[in-house]
Amino acid sequence: MDIIKFLDGFTTEKLTARMSSRRGALAAFGVFGTQALMAAAPCFRTASGKEALKQSNGAAVNALQLALILEYLEAEFYIKALDSGVLPNGRPEAVYMQISKHETAHVEFLKAGLEGAGVEPVFKPEFDYTADGAFAPFDTSNPDAYLQLLTLAQAFEDTGVRAYKGQAGNLQGTPFLMPALRIHSVEARHAAEVRRLRAGFLDISLDEDALPWITLDNRGPGMPPITQPVYDGEEEVVQGGVNLVELTEFGAVEVSQSYDEPLATQEVLQIIAPFLGCKE
Amino acid sequence: MEGQPLSKKRDDFKSRRHFLKLGGLAVAGSGLLLYSCIPEDEPFAQQRQSEGDVFDLGSGDLGILNFAYALEQLEAAFYTRVLDGAYWAGASPIERLYLEDIRGHEVIHREFFKAAINAVAPPEQVLPELEFDFSGVDFSNRDSVLSTSILLEDTGVAAYNGAGDLIDLTLYLQLAGKIVSVEARHAAALRSVYLPGFTEFAGDDVVDEQGLDVARRPQTILQEVGNTGFIVTPFTANNLPTE
């Protein structure tokens, strides 16, 4: 199944509908998740045409290639956002510039790291930040463009945090672990700030579901259903076998906020699949 | 980018800002690390005996867990004091909410480590409840409270980032990873609320030109924390893993 067919089925039914009525997209993720991954895999090639996530260099290399794909997604997003004319001057622009600086540095860092380890880095895939028409974040004629920039930034950053977390075990015992952890916490700083920015814009800064930390599996007011897979599983209250609601005086809200949860590789690829413009 | 950015060099992470600079917390050092002359090859049990009743964090993963437990005890105790203070009582709604939430998170982290360590180690190897002295902090003053909060959160990020590759059991690494990103969210939120400028949430003082966050080894973190004078109860860290 190729990616375009997948996206066609996905988008004609769901994504072209209005944000508020896109609940079906959730089901699409569930039904087509595995196909999405299989469809997306050929999109990730190296210079010599190999499929980057199917090299036999082991879990650590695959972890770094996945990280690089995510950083490409983020880096290009912030560059286009800054070029779009959509971002208000002042704090929003300054925040996006700072994040853009970091994401671009992460791309260079990971590419150099992979090359240093004798591995061909994955090429930057073609991205579709409209998710086949669901968003128009760089279009100044779209009255919701800035809100969509905030929506996508939050989704990408919260995904980045969970994605790096999910690869820590694959990097254990390698020299890549510490730098990956140090990128991971930068993504968390970004996530906190874009969540603050979005909450401020919507005047919901005191809303429990729009704080710099994630409450239960709540994506937050104004986040479209297509972003729900970014938050699924964040409601966990058992850590290391200990139910922290039972252990402490706190409820599931505070306990879930206290821990961010990892995403597996396939879950990450499912989340970013709608944003791939790959024509394989 | 030149060189070998991912080489396993221990000196490639910088302590970009000394612990004391931000808060101006010039308090005399505590009893931390008073006893640091124990030979490394001495068996653990003998070490403990020779130190009398001064607790040693221990070795291996146990040592790292006790290290994290000490930091979480410190944070939980600090924010509990914040919520009893005059500044918090009159703070803006957003600052009140953030600090109340953060206090809860740190208490939950503390209780988690207490339970986790007790599950794998005999009671005498679990870090006891520490006594703290926050007399250097003015809990009625916004600058004092928030600058200290930022200091503690950035230190927490550096501590977890600098301890991750010292952990042996993957489960503990994953748990540390679940916690450190929340500490980083705290740090960013408090920096954003308090520090001037729009980029301080991930400021150039904590994120370097390669886009990498702070990371410092446990011994460095413990020295920094010791210098604040916040921790009254002496303990040693003679057996922590260093690589």
Side-chain angles (χ1 to χ4, degrees):
Chain A
M1 181 177 193
D2 71 29
I3 187 74
I4 288 306
K5 267 186 197 155
F6 164 73
L7 283 177
D8 278 346
F10 187 72
T11 56
T12 49
E13 187 184 357
K14 315 294 177 196
L15 289 185
T16 52
R18 292 191 173 278
M19 267 191 193
S20 56
S21 63
R22 225 179 291 120
R23 291 189 178 279
L26 287 182
F29 271 112
V31 172
F32 294 113
T34 305
Q35 283 131 315
L37 176 57
M38 292 174 65
C43 296
F44 307 127
R45 300 279 185 180
T46 68
S48 60
K50 292 177 194 151
E51 291 192 18
L53 293 177
K54 291 187 175 175
Q55 294 181 110
S56 55
N57 304 79
V61 167
N62 284 340
L64 296 176
Q65 298 281 32
L66 178 71
L68 180 53
I69 290 166
L70 271 178
E71 298 290 356
Y72 281 137
L73 175 73
E74 291 183 312
E76 185 171 305
F77 169 76
Y78 288 105
I79 288 169
K80 287 189 166 173
L82 287 162
D83 285 345
S84 69
V86 168
L87 278 174
N89 292 329
R91 183 176 163 216
E93 188 178 51
V95 167
Y96 273 56
M97 283 180 68
Q98 185 77 352
I99 297 177
S100 179
K101 182 171 80 174
H102 296 156
E103 308 300 9
T104 298
H106 293 164
V107 167
E108 294 309 312
F109 186 88
L110 290 167
K111 281 167 74 173
L114 283 159
E115 284 165 355
V119 177
E120 287 184 333
V122 61
F123 265 1
K124 186 180 74 62
E126 189 183 327
F127 294 116
D128 171 18
Y129 295 101
T130 75
D132 210 34
F135 303 101
F138 310 129
D139 181 354
T140 51
S141 70
N142 171 15
D144 292 330
Y146 177 47
L147 180 58
Q148 291 176 359
L149 282 183
L150 294 171
T151 296
L152 292 174
Q154 176 174 328
F156 292 157
E157 297 296 344
D158 280 333
T159 298
V161 174
R162 300 189 64 182
Y164 274 95
K165 204 185 312 295
Q167 297 303 322
N170 290 329
L171 295 170
Q172 198 178 16
T174 78
F176 304 114
L177 176 61
M178 187 187 280
L181 291 175
R182 296 175 65 189
I183 293 175
H184 167 246
S185 61
V186 171
E187 301 293 336
R189 289 180 190 265
H190 294 170
E193 183 68 359
V194 295
R195 292 174 68 92
R196 272 175 48 75
L197 208 53
R198 200 185 71 87
F201 179 69
L202 294 176
D203 199 20
I204 52 170
S205 293
L206 298 176
D207 190 300
E208 184 173 81
D209 297 332
L211 296 171
W213 26 93
I214 298 166
T215 299
L216 301 172
D217 62 349
N218 299 334
R219 60 183 183 269
M223 291 294 284
I226 190 180
T227 64
Q228 186 55 41
V230 177
Y231 300 96
D232 288 342
E234 278 286 354
E235 70 277 19
E236 184 62 65
V237 296
V238 176
Q239 299 296 345
V242 183
N243 185 319
L244 295 176
V245 171
E246 292 171 7
L247 181 77
T248 69
E249 65 193 277
F250 295 94
V253 164
E254 294 89 347
V255 167
S256 68
Q257 290 173 344
S258 306
Y259 292 77
D260 284 333
E261 299 299 319
L263 285 172
T265 299
Q266 180 164 321
E267 293 169 321
V268 174
L269 291 174
Q270 285 169 20
I271 286 169
I272 69 169
F275 301 100
L276 293 172
C278 172
K279 307 268 192 290
E280 283 283 339
Chain B
M1 191 167 50
E2 305 288 326
Q4 301 169 291
L6 297 181
S7 66
K8 197 161 184 161
K9 289 266 163 59
R10 297 307 181 194
D11 55 359
D12 67 350
F13 54 99
K14 308 160 194 165
S15 70
R16 300 185 66 83
R17 177 182 292 204
H18 190 270
F19 192 90
L20 288 179
K21 275 189 189 163
L22 212 163
L25 304 158
V27 182
S30 73
L32 252 173
L33 303 175
L34 278 179
Y35 306 80
S36 56
C37 307
I38 308 300
E40 283 182 12
D41 53 357
E42 193 173 340
F44 183 63
Q46 283 183 349
Q47 285 179 29
R48 289 189 44 76
Q49 207 168 16
S50 68
E51 290 165 23
D53 55 0
V54 174
F55 183 85
D56 186 89
L57 294 180
S59 60
D61 283 351
L62 174 64
I64 298 296
L65 290 174
N66 273 322
F67 166 66
Y69 182 34
L71 295 180
E72 298 293 353
Q73 282 196 41
L74 169 61
E75 290 185 309
F78 171 76
Y79 289 109
T80 299
R81 285 290 305 276
V82 168
L83 264 59
D84 286 336
Y87 152 66
W88 185 79
S92 72
I94 205 160
E95 289 174 16
R96 280 175 61 92
L97 179 58
Y98 282 6
L99 289 164
E100 185 177 10
D101 273 11
I102 293 171
R103 184 254 171 190
H105 304 164
E106 306 300 3
V107 169
I108 290 163
H109 293 163
R110 180 191 69 196
E111 295 306 302
F112 166 73
F113 279 110
K114 184 179 182 180
I117 300 168
N118 272 292
V120 297
E124 67 272 16
Q125 290 181 25
V126 182
L127 180 72
E129 278 189 30
L130 301 174
E131 185 187 336
F132 297 99
D133 175 5
F134 293 115
S135 57
V137 180
D138 180 354
F139 290 97
S140 67
N141 181 281
R142 179 175 184 261
D143 292 328
S144 182
V145 169
L146 292 183
S147 63
T148 307
S149 303
I150 290 167
L151 202 63
L152 290 177
E153 297 299 337
D154 281 336
T155 299
V157 173
Y160 282 103
N161 281 349
D165 70 353
L166 303 177
I167 295 172
D168 186 38
L169 196 66
T170 304
L171 171 67
Y172 296 149
L173 171 63
Q174 288 167 339
L175 286 163
K178 291 174 176 214
I179 291 172
V180 64
S181 56
V182 175
E183 304 288 349
R185 289 174 190 269
H186 295 166
L190 293 168
R191 293 172 68 96
S192 180
V193 159
Y194 178 65
L195 297 176
F198 294 133
T199 60
E200 293 297 326
F201 65 95
D204 295 344
D205 59 322
V206 285
V207 181
D208 71 15
E209 62 282 352
Q210 292 181 307
L212 305 183
D213 212 330
V214 283
R216 297 191 293 280
R217 289 299 189 198
Q219 294 289 1
T220 306
I221 296 290
L222 286 170
Q223 281 169 22
E224 293 171 352
V225 173
N227 288 339
T228 67
F230 288 158
I231 301 181
V232 174
T233 311
F235 62 85
T236 59
N238 293 323
N239 300 284
L240 288 181
T242 54
E243 64 180 290

